[in-house]
Amino acid sequence: MSRAPSGRNRPAPSLLVTTRNARFQQWQSYLTNRAKRTKAGRFLIQGVRPLNLALEHDWPIESLLHRIDGPPLSDWARELLETRSVEQIGVSAELMAELGEKTTTTAPELIAIAKTRTPRLKDLRLQSVPLIVVFDRPASPGNLGTLVRSANAFGADAVVVVGHGADPFDPRSVRASTGSLFAMPVVTVSSVEEILAFRDARRASGTDLHIVGTDETGSVTIDAHDFGGGTVLVIGNETRGMSAAWRDACDTVVNIPIGGAASSLGAPSAGAVALYEIARQRK
């Protein structure tokens, strides 16, 4: 890493990375190595909309990487670099393409190195009629990000990942959320019992929470269930559905009637349908 000369069409970075040095390798590990990402408490933000939303919601950005060769930077990229008081690092287009998981000809203009946030259940600020979405042991980061996006779109208070599941800060999850990850809390807990204790504490303080699971074998069709009260909506694992512990914890299990040759909906699709129905009823 070295000091960078000033360039014509882009702000001069304070540092320059053009080789796969130790710092680049550290950034690269955030893409593929969950253990290193978690230990460092850092992850990458790729894409215009996710980066804009991260900044809009005051997400802690540690560094802004920007492309130093190739086409001139856009007005959007230049404005961010000129107005944000964070470390700025110039990176070659070839290396930016690797970090952006793109080809060299489509290397991103900007990538952010951001700090993770790990909100706790007890610190959640809930609406007067809460809606919390639980994803039981999600296997796919993309599915998790998609569900976060739907939860944000339909007015949920938070998404809770239960058990050993996908990492919300995996780049596939961040991209699939299209920035919604930065607009709402995403909490990770280890067990069903933590949710039940949270539910009991909220009930004791006067806020009821009804736990509703989604499953093709549910005894009530989703449109027949009254979602007018506080709700914890449980979406099961993509392959195995809800665990036995969640089935026991649910006050109600609803089904989504479907037709055609499909045997069931995928987890994020079922979540989106359920969230729409809740929003429809509450509206």
Side-chain angles (χ1 to χ4, degrees):
M1 188 177 294
S2 61
R3 296 287 166 183
S6 81
R8 290 178 61 191
N9 299 312
R10 44 182 64 80
S14 57
L15 297 169
L16 187 69
V17 174
T18 58
T19 63
R20 293 172 178 79
N21 60 16
R23 194 162 188 185
F24 173 80
Q25 291 173 28
Q26 183 181 50
W27 298 333
Q28 196 173 43
S29 74
Y30 300 157
L31 291 175
T32 58
N33 192 314
R34 180 174 184 170
K36 290 184 178 180
R37 195 165 55 233
T38 302
K39 183 178 180 180
R42 303 291 188 277
F43 69 106
L44 270 60
I45 303 176
Q46 309 157 323
V48 173
R49 181 169 175 77
L51 181 49
N52 280 341
L53 283 173
L55 293 168
E56 180 182 330
H57 290 278
D58 297 320
W59 199 272
I61 304 296
E62 185 173 69
S63 306
L64 279 174
L65 316 183
H66 70 86
R67 194 187 65 226
I68 57 171
D69 47 1
L73 297 180
S74 67
D75 291 343
W76 165 78
R78 288 181 58 81
E79 182 180 359
L80 285 188
L81 291 169
E82 290 166 359
T83 58
R84 298 290 169 171
S85 58
V86 298
E87 179 185 45
Q88 297 177 16
I89 303 174
V91 181
S92 69
E94 180 183 4
L95 300 185
M96 284 290 280
E98 290 186 34
L99 294 175
E101 299 174 292
K102 302 283 188 180
T103 65
T104 303
T105 55
T106 59
E109 297 183 292
L110 298 179
I111 293 174
I113 309 299
K115 297 179 182 180
T116 58
R117 280 179 174 170
T118 54
R120 299 176 297 179
L121 276 176
K122 67 178 184 178
D123 296 330
L124 291 179
R125 296 181 180 180
L126 303 180
Q127 306 169 77
S128 57
V129 183
L131 172 58
I132 296 170
V133 181
V134 166
F135 203 161
D136 180 23
R137 302 159 297 145
S140 162
N143 284 345
L144 173 56
T146 300
L147 186 61
V148 170
R149 180 181 182 180
S150 296
N152 182 222
F154 290 114
D157 294 279
V159 171
V160 181
V161 179
V162 179
H164 184 70
D167 178 11
F169 300 107
D170 185 293
R172 293 167 291 180
S173 173
V174 178
R175 287 195 301 269
S177 81
T178 63
S180 289
L181 176 70
F182 309 118
M184 66 182 306
V186 179
V187 182
T188 300
V189 300
S190 60
S191 67
V192 178
E193 286 70 28
E194 289 183 62
I195 301 291
L196 295 180
F198 173 78
R199 187 266 321 266
D200 293 343
R202 289 292 173 167
R203 282 181 172 174
S205 65
T207 302
D208 195 18
L209 287 172
H210 194 80
I211 300 180
V212 181
T214 55
D215 190 84
E216 60 191 67
T217 64
S219 58
V220 181
T221 59
I222 192 166
D223 59 332
H225 179 74
D226 182 3
F227 286 103
T231 301
V232 175
L233 178 70
V234 182
I235 308 298
N237 171 270
E238 296 96 324
T239 303
R240 298 181 295 276
M242 287 190 299
S243 66
W246 269 118
R247 287 182 179 276
D248 291 341
C250 285
D251 299 300
T252 307
V253 179
V254 300
N255 71 78
I256 300 171
I258 60 173
S263 60
S264 62
L265 293 175
S269 298
V273 171
L275 285 161
Y276 171 79
E277 175 60 22
I278 295 170
R280 185 193 69 80
Q281 288 191 21
R282 291 184 175 186
K283 186 176 180 180

